Amino acid sequence: MINGKPHIVVVGGGFGGVSICKLLAKENVEVTLVDRHNYHLFQPLLYQVSTAVLSTDEIAYPIRSFFRDNKNVNFFMAKAKGVDQARNVLKTNHGEIHYDYLVLAAGATTNFFGMKEVENNAYGMKTIQEALAIRNHVLHEFERADKPYRTPEERREKLTFVIVGGGPTGVEEAGAIAELRDILKAEFHHLDFNDVQIKLIEATAHVLPMMSQDLQDETVRVLRKKGVDVMLETQVVGYDGKILKLKSGVEIPTSTVIWAAGVKAADFIKDCGGEYARDGRIWVEENLMVKGAVNQNVFAIGDCAGFMHGDMKRPLPTVAPVANQQAKTCYENIMKLIKGDTNLNKFVYKDLGAMATIGKAEAVVNKPKMTGFLAWCAWLFIHLLRLAGAYANFTVAVKWAWNFLFGVRLGRIITNIKLDSGKLTIPKVEEDHSAPGVNEGNTVVLQSEK
Amino acid sequence: MINGKPHIVVVGGGFGGVSICKLLAKENVEVTLVDRHNYHLFQPLLYQVSTAVLSTDEIAYPIRSFFRDNKNVNFFMAKAKGVDQARNVLKTNHGEIHYDYLVLAAGATTNFFGMKEVENNAYGMKTIQEALAIRNHVLHEFERADKPYRTPEERREKLTFVIVGGGPTGVEEAGAIAELRDILKAEFHHLDFNDVQIKLIEATAHVLPMMSQDLQDETVRVLRKKGVDVMLETQVVGYDGKILKLKSGVEIPTSTVIWAAGVKAADFIKDCGGEYARDGRIWVEENLMVKGAVNQNVFAIGDCAGFMHGDMKRPLPTVAPVANQQAKTCYENIMKLIKGDTNLNKFVYKDLGAMATIGKAEAVVNKPKMTGFLAWCAWLFIHLLRLAGAYANFTVAVKWAWNFLFGVRLGRIITNIKLDSGKLTIPKVEEDHSAPGVNEGNTVVLQSEK
């Protein structure tokens, strides 16, 4: 209790966490929202940051701004470490926080399925930092490939971009890189763009598993038309930073592997005293309470919660609508408990459909079924609507229009940044992009110099 | 010669470098623009990135985009290392480049005047990386100060922001941080903002040396009205990351020192075989040729060039209009030499005046003399006009309007990024903002918890 009011602690400022805090803000309770970042990330548009369409600030919102007028919602920037359910405390790297009710909404992280080598050398696609790293790296590879002393093999390795995972993230990333290639083509006057290869690798026989067969086929057709090499039923077994190894024995020389092949619950979830699915998600009852909750006051929602009841064959998907809908049910149930009512609501998921863009002017939508330009417009509209903050909607709309009309992408700046314990270390650009084979005395022959 | 055409190499993609390349692009010459970054930076607005008003992408433009339609302008991403004038080669970390004519437009870097301790612990204000580091750090200090276990001394140290240097950068940064403080005040429900101190330290008796006494006085008056502690005739002698030491013996506990007290020429300029001023600038003749140029084909323009002729008491200031005007004269002189005409033009600087904003709705302009809201509007207008790219003008205008009308700053996201040799290392957030004094077993008392 704080000031005589029930204290609800929410871990995670994603879709689920922010939604439930907005609902709780109107009640006579005290809320503490804990997140290791000070911003809410609009993850569905992360791929646009990684491909230089949007700026970070346009898809990341200061969490405090949501609760400017809600004095009963307090933000606590810290990394959650675990839960001691017996003592009703959340452990963080800034100490422990007592709760009367706890909501775990910590989200998901990239799942490399135990392949350490891949984890060390491939890029994940879940955080702002990763998206910026991909942007820097991809743009830098074009610059590195454009050096006259490169061998054809080096050039091809640098210009081969592999995306692993045929879900919406992988499909959208592949389409966006294909589009970026076309934009860069106009600006590299001496680089042979026949060397650019974009490969989308999927282990199963289908991309976009939530879509029907005809939409899946259409997606593959559009990707191939845009020059993406779609490789279905292809499994990755290793990547050392230079050679991507497939189960078939085939080896692909590439310096860029983007891993969008799976997610698992945030790591600390395993230290919350519950029962866990194979992907680390904590199992929840139909009322969203964590299974076996000691004091009947711990809930989990969104990507970190494993919800599987009735005749479901697998847990609910890790998408924003699930988190938002669960936030509402969880809020209702906490308010019931506060009022002494233990007859809690059961969560029922309402599937709103799925959509994915495939580069410029192409998309697929399954409810109602749409493809092509119309689906793309629907995608733009829905995402603009959902983006938090009136202001960002507006500049994002402007950027998209500019991008569509003039093929302009202004985010194409390479900003290698290295921060050491809060202070800046200027990145050693020399080390970073120096030519290993070039000695001081060598002369770079620019074009047909005489 | 490349393809039988004279080869002009330009070092630096700042105002001077891009300007001269645009002029040369129309001639029958081959141009190579060398820069260690792939973008042109609009430095006058860097302080707005550091204070979360604008995004990096809005003040940094891909250099290649400027020369999309100019096949004779080639971009070469590399770090310049020096010049061997006898052999007509520019040395870079990617090998050597032969030139027929060389233009040094490498700009300036922060001058810590040999104070190593200050250099290691204070933030410079010359690069995108530094601006982002300042943004991350300042926002993070508010979060760190907002932890309930802080002592009053720790809290004050974290909320004391010192800017050193009373030139336009220092004045604008101080004003912008004061404005940021007011925005954050609405969102930190439990932080006492009386602890926030913003100090602007200037060694001489005047801020904005290029302005008249009445404009200087007005600037100090406005800054003080906005809660900035302006300390004139105050010299910094040391900073260890915790205590800023003044020559007077006074010590200021602070974890943030932003150094805007001086610039010097880019380091590699000293290896170009010329004669140098004390701040590292290479001396140039009236025609902008480097003094003592061995083959009469090396020029220098902008911040890295030391131009002092006639009755001038000190070299021209390090501002964009000097670089742009010198680019034009330098271009004319190179074209004369190519045509065999050795009667080169002399550079004459036309002073267009100076301006500086002081936070929201306040500015000073010296030509024609203006202050207050009118000067602020003039400042906005001029900077929008000068920002490269129609698109960015538009979103920047939108952002400024939003900021003015609603006090919104959406760039307030903390993105500690650490890139190791091109690959991403997820920053160790735990180490970064953990509480040194908090043990796992301690309980953080949130507000008046019972």
Side-chain angles (χ1 to χ4, degrees):
Chain A
M1 306 288 274
I2 294 181
N3 303 326
K5 295 189 276 182
H7 184 205
I8 299 148
V9 174
V10 177
V11 183
F15 288 110
V18 167
S19 289
I20 195 167
C21 287
K22 280 184 179 169
L23 293 166
L24 290 167
K26 294 169 204 142
E27 304 289 344
N28 188 29
V29 297
E30 286 286 334
V31 181
T32 300
L33 174 50
V34 179
D35 198 298
R36 69 198 164 114
H37 296 302
N38 77 328
Y39 52 84
H40 165 76
L41 177 62
F42 194 84
Q43 277 191 351
L45 290 179
L46 202 54
Y47 84 94
Q48 295 213 348
V49 169
S50 77
T51 51
V53 180
L54 296 180
S55 302
T56 51
D57 308 357
E58 279 152 350
I59 65 159
Y61 294 81
I63 289 174
R64 288 182 185 273
S65 292
F66 290 117
F67 306 105
R68 205 174 194 172
D69 301 324
N70 305 113
K71 303 272 184 233
N72 63 333
V73 180
N74 196 37
F75 176 66
F76 192 84
M77 187 168 164
K79 192 174 161 67
K81 297 277 206 181
V83 177
D84 185 341
Q85 288 200 20
R87 290 168 49 228
N88 289 334
V89 292
L90 171 75
K91 300 176 194 169
T92 81
N93 64 332
H94 282 278
E96 297 184 344
I97 304 174
H98 279 286
Y99 59 80
D100 297 311
Y101 299 92
L102 178 68
V103 180
L104 300 172
T109 181
T110 305
N111 194 348
F112 291 95
F113 304 105
M115 289 187 284
K116 272 286 162 201
E117 193 201 41
V118 176
E119 184 170 349
N120 289 339
N121 293 296
Y123 292 95
M125 263 289 285
K126 293 296 286 179
T127 67
I128 280 276
Q129 286 82 357
E130 289 171 326
L132 280 178
I134 290 170
R135 175 199 288 197
N136 282 331
H137 176 73
V138 169
L139 294 172
H140 216 151
E141 287 300 273
F142 277 93
E143 294 293 346
R144 290 181 182 118
D146 193 36
K147 294 293 185 286
Y149 54 77
R150 290 284 176 218
T151 64
E153 291 71 31
E154 284 177 343
R155 188 168 291 126
R156 272 196 296 274
E157 179 205 298
K158 292 191 177 305
L159 296 179
T160 298
F161 304 98
V162 179
I163 300 103
V164 183
T169 303
V171 166
E172 293 184 326
E173 183 75 10
I177 291 182
E179 204 189 323
L180 181 63
R181 171 202 58 202
D182 298 342
I183 291 169
L184 293 179
K185 195 172 177 177
E187 300 188 359
F188 282 78
H189 304 320
H190 300 285
L191 193 62
D192 183 356
F193 273 67
N194 289 319
D195 285 339
V196 180
Q197 294 186 65
I198 303 163
K199 292 172 187 292
L200 178 64
I201 293 181
E202 165 58 37
T204 73
H206 307 283
V207 297
L208 304 179
M210 73 297 280
M211 301 269 182
S212 59
Q213 177 79 43
D214 55 338
L215 289 177
Q216 293 173 343
D217 293 345
E218 171 67 6
T219 302
V220 171
R221 191 191 66 76
V222 172
L223 281 171
R224 287 185 174 150
K225 190 184 75 186
K226 296 198 173 197
V228 176
D229 181 12
V230 183
M231 302 167 74
L232 300 173
E233 298 184 86
T234 303
Q235 252 186 291
V236 169
V237 293
Y239 178 56
D240 63 2
K242 295 209 145 233
I243 306 281
L244 183 73
K245 290 190 186 112
L246 305 181
K247 202 178 176 184
S248 63
V250 169
E251 300 193 335
I252 303 173
T254 174
S255 46
T256 311
V257 172
I258 298 167
W259 190 263
V263 297
K264 60 180 183 183
D267 276 348
F268 99 99
I269 288 294
K270 72 180 187 306
D271 299 315
C272 296
E275 298 166 29
Y276 305 96
R278 239 179 19 158
D279 61 358
R281 295 167 82 170
I282 193 164
W283 290 117
V284 293
E285 307 284 0
E286 276 181 283
N287 58 23
L288 300 177
M289 194 177 286
V290 163
K291 265 188 188 161
V294 177
N295 300 318
Q296 300 288 299
N297 58 353
V298 179
F299 294 82
I301 61 176
D303 292 1
C304 73
F307 186 97
M308 188 160 66
H309 295 279
D311 55 359
M312 289 172 66
K313 286 200 183 64
R314 50 180 190 172
L316 288 173
T318 53
V319 294
V322 171
N324 286 329
Q325 292 175 31
Q326 288 184 335
K328 184 152 180 295
T329 304
C330 184
Y331 151 74
E332 290 163 355
N333 285 345
I334 289 175
M335 293 315 297
K336 280 194 167 197
L337 289 175
I338 288 173
K339 288 165 189 154
D341 178 357
T342 55
N343 180 27
L344 302 186
N345 295 341
K346 289 180 180 176
F347 176 68
V348 181
Y349 177 49
K350 191 175 167 227
D351 185 359
L352 300 170
M355 45 180 31
T357 45
I358 323 164
K360 191 169 166 175
E362 296 272 7
V364 286
V365 175
N366 71 350
K367 264 188 190 180
K369 207 181 266 191
M370 284 189 277
T371 60
F373 189 70
L374 189 70
W376 189 65
C377 292
W379 183 94
L380 292 179
F381 182 71
I382 293 285
H383 283 79
L384 276 180
L385 268 190
R386 295 226 183 121
L387 257 180
Y391 150 76
N393 285 1
F394 192 63
T395 64
V396 169
V398 169
K399 282 206 179 175
W400 284 349
W402 236 258
N403 195 2
F404 178 68
L405 294 173
F406 308 115
V408 169
R409 277 199 199 185
L410 286 168
R412 290 180 291 113
I413 61 170
I414 302 171
T415 51
N416 284 346
I417 291 168
K418 185 169 173 156
L419 289 171
D420 256 319
S421 61
K423 295 288 183 186
L424 179 76
T425 312
I426 298 293
K428 295 192 179 59
V429 180
E430 304 98 307
E431 285 175 20
D432 190 24
H433 70 141
S434 268
V438 175
N439 300 320
E440 280 267 330
N442 287 359
T443 294
V444 172
V445 180
L446 280 174
Q447 301 146 48
S448 59
E449 190 162 349
K450 289 165 193 175
Chain B
M1 306 286 276
I2 293 181
N3 303 327
K5 295 189 276 183
H7 184 204
I8 299 148
V9 174
V10 177
V11 182
F15 289 110
V18 168
S19 289
I20 196 167
C21 287
K22 281 184 179 169
L23 293 166
L24 290 167
K26 294 169 204 142
E27 304 288 344
N28 187 30
V29 296
E30 286 286 334
V31 180
T32 299
L33 174 50
V34 179
D35 199 298
R36 70 197 164 113
H37 296 302
N38 78 328
Y39 51 83
H40 165 76
L41 177 63
F42 195 84
Q43 277 191 351
L45 289 179
L46 202 54
Y47 84 92
Q48 296 213 346
V49 169
S50 77
T51 51
V53 179
L54 297 180
S55 302
T56 51
D57 308 357
E58 280 153 349
I59 65 160
Y61 294 81
I63 290 174
R64 288 181 185 274
S65 293
F66 290 117
F67 307 105
R68 205 174 194 174
D69 301 324
N70 305 114
K71 303 273 185 231
N72 63 332
V73 180
N74 195 37
F75 176 66
F76 192 84
M77 187 167 165
K79 192 173 162 68
K81 297 278 206 180
V83 177
D84 185 341
Q85 288 201 19
R87 291 168 49 230
N88 289 333
V89 292
L90 171 74
K91 299 176 196 169
T92 81
N93 64 332
H94 281 279
E96 298 185 343
I97 304 174
H98 279 287
Y99 59 80
D100 297 311
Y101 299 92
L102 178 68
V103 180
L104 301 171
T109 182
T110 305
N111 195 349
F112 290 95
F113 304 105
M115 291 187 282
K116 273 286 162 200
E117 193 201 42
V118 176
E119 184 170 350
N120 289 338
N121 293 295
Y123 292 94
M125 262 289 284
K126 292 296 286 181
T127 67
I128 281 274
Q129 285 81 358
E130 289 171 325
L132 280 178
I134 291 170
R135 177 200 287 197
N136 282 331
H137 176 73
V138 169
L139 294 171
H140 216 150
E141 288 298 273
F142 278 92
E143 294 294 345
R144 291 182 182 118
D146 193 36
K147 293 293 184 286
Y149 54 77
R150 292 284 176 216
T151 64
E153 290 72 30
E154 285 177 342
R155 188 167 292 127
R156 271 196 296 275
E157 179 205 299
K158 293 194 176 302
L159 296 178
T160 298
F161 304 97
V162 179
I163 300 103
V164 184
T169 303
V171 166
E172 293 184 328
E173 183 75 12
I177 291 182
E179 205 188 323
L180 181 62
R181 171 202 59 202
D182 298 342
I183 291 169
L184 293 179
K185 195 172 177 176
E187 300 189 359
F188 283 77
H189 303 319
H190 300 285
L191 192 64
D192 184 355
F193 272 68
N194 290 320
D195 287 338
V196 180
Q197 293 186 66
I198 303 163
K199 293 173 186 290
L200 178 65
I201 294 182
E202 166 58 38
T204 74
H206 307 283
V207 296
L208 303 180
M210 74 295 280
M211 301 268 182
S212 58
Q213 177 79 45
D214 54 341
L215 289 178
Q216 292 173 344
D217 293 346
E218 171 67 6
T219 302
V220 171
R221 191 191 65 77
V222 172
L223 280 171
R224 288 183 174 150
K225 190 185 73 185
K226 297 198 173 197
V228 176
D229 180 13
V230 182
M231 302 168 73
L232 299 173
E233 298 184 85
T234 303
Q235 252 185 292
V236 169
V237 293
Y239 178 55
D240 62 3
K242 294 207 146 235
I243 307 281
L244 182 74
K245 291 191 184 111
L246 304 180
K247 202 177 175 184
S248 63
V250 169
E251 299 192 337
I252 303 173
T254 174
S255 47
T256 311
V257 173
I258 297 168
W259 190 263
V263 296
K264 61 180 181 183
D267 276 348
F268 99 99
I269 288 294
K270 72 180 187 308
D271 299 314
C272 296
E275 299 167 28
Y276 305 96
R278 240 178 19 158
D279 60 0
R281 296 168 81 170
I282 192 165
W283 290 116
V284 293
E285 307 283 0
E286 276 180 284
N287 58 23
L288 300 177
M289 194 177 285
V290 164
K291 265 189 188 161
V294 177
N295 300 317
Q296 301 287 299
N297 58 353
V298 180
F299 295 82
I301 61 176
D303 292 2
C304 73
F307 185 98
M308 188 161 65
H309 294 280
D311 55 358
M312 289 171 67
K313 286 201 183 64
R314 50 179 188 172
L316 288 174
T318 53
V319 294
V322 171
N324 286 329
Q325 293 175 31
Q326 288 184 336
K328 183 151 181 296
T329 303
C330 184
Y331 151 74
E332 290 163 353
N333 285 344
I334 288 175
M335 291 317 296
K336 279 193 167 198
L337 290 175
I338 287 172
K339 288 166 187 153
D341 178 358
T342 55
N343 181 26
L344 302 186
N345 295 342
K346 289 180 179 175
F347 176 69
V348 181
Y349 177 51
K350 190 174 169 226
D351 185 359
L352 300 171
M355 46 181 29
T357 44
I358 323 163
K360 190 169 166 173
E362 296 271 8
V364 287
V365 174
N366 70 351
K367 263 187 189 183
K369 207 180 269 192
M370 284 189 276
T371 60
F373 189 70
L374 189 69
W376 189 67
C377 291
W379 183 95
L380 291 180
F381 182 71
I382 293 285
H383 282 78
L384 276 180
L385 268 191
R386 295 227 181 118
L387 255 181
Y391 151 75
N393 285 0
F394 191 64
T395 65
V396 170
V398 169
K399 283 206 179 175
W400 285 349
W402 236 258
N403 194 1
F404 178 68
L405 295 172
F406 308 114
V408 169
R409 276 198 199 184
L410 286 167
R412 290 181 290 112
I413 61 170
I414 302 172
T415 51
N416 283 345
I417 289 168
K418 185 168 174 158
L419 288 172
D420 256 321
S421 61
K423 296 286 180 186
L424 179 78
T425 312
I426 299 292
K428 296 194 178 56
V429 180
E430 305 97 307
E431 285 176 20
D432 191 23
H433 69 143
S434 267
V438 175
N439 301 321
E440 281 267 329
N442 287 357
T443 294
V444 172
V445 180
L446 281 175
Q447 304 147 47
S448 58
E449 191 163 349
K450 288 166 196 171

